[in-house]
Amino acid sequence: MEAVPAVSSGAEKPPQFFLISLAPRLNTIRHADKCSKLENDAICGLTTFSIANDVAKYFAIIPALFAGTLPWLKRIDIMHLHSPTSAILSAVIFNALIIPALIPVALNGVTYRPLGADALLRRNLLVWGLGGVILPFPGIKLIDMIMVAFHFVA
């Protein structure tokens, strides 16, 4: 255990010391810097996945919602979901399932690889971006089919 000073937010209170447990690998600046890079890589990958995931969900929801009033949207309705209600509900359920599935990635970080910015961006776009675009389509369609099969939606 090592005492680490932490300044409180109140002006009338003096700085307080808290005992925290420091991980053995964080003893040097080099290891702290490496951990910081791991966190940034994980955050960058998850952000890429999140943006790509949202774009894919819009392609699932928007055509289902507005195909009745905007007939030209039927051409981009590649998922052919049961109804606008099932499209929205399927996307919400998919989000509710995918977010907890990504928590271990956020907590554990990613494996450190000494890559340049270009290589890191290329890898994140390939793995997380492509995964974020592709994964929602079968996930949302499967949830839609299950809800229709069990008569959860009309």
Side-chain angles (χ1 to χ4, degrees):
M1 298 296 250
E2 183 177 329
V4 177
V7 180
S8 65
S9 59
E12 72 283 347
K13 296 179 184 175
Q16 298 175 352
F17 288 87
F18 297 99
L19 291 177
I20 64 170
S21 174
L22 298 176
R25 293 191 299 188
L26 295 178
N27 288 338
T28 65
I29 298 291
R30 181 173 166 214
H31 287 294
D33 182 46
K34 189 175 186 180
C35 289
S36 164
K37 287 178 184 174
L38 290 177
E39 290 169 2
N40 288 339
D41 290 351
I43 290 169
C44 182
L46 291 175
T47 302
T48 304
F49 180 87
S50 178
I51 292 169
N53 193 351
D54 287 343
V55 168
K57 284 185 290 189
Y58 295 142
F59 274 100
I61 294 172
I62 291 175
L65 285 178
F66 298 111
T69 56
L70 301 171
W72 60 270
L73 278 176
K74 289 181 184 178
R75 287 181 284 171
I76 63 170
D77 186 10
I78 60 173
M79 296 189 59
H80 305 289
L81 299 175
H82 179 70
S83 68
T85 303
S86 72
I88 293 172
L89 195 54
S90 297
V92 169
I93 292 170
F94 178 79
N95 248 15
L97 295 174
I98 200 69
I99 290 171
L102 292 174
I103 289 174
V105 175
L107 292 176
N108 294 333
V110 295
T111 305
Y112 176 74
R113 293 184 183 109
L115 297 173
D118 290 342
L120 183 62
L121 178 63
R122 198 172 27 252
R123 183 178 181 280
N124 278 339
L125 287 176
L126 182 66
V127 173
W128 297 102
L130 192 59
V133 167
I134 293 173
L135 188 63
F137 289 106
I140 291 172
K141 182 65 177 179
L142 179 66
I143 293 167
D144 181 68
M145 291 175 9
I146 290 170
M147 287 192 312
V148 170
F150 288 103
H151 305 289
F152 292 142
V153 291

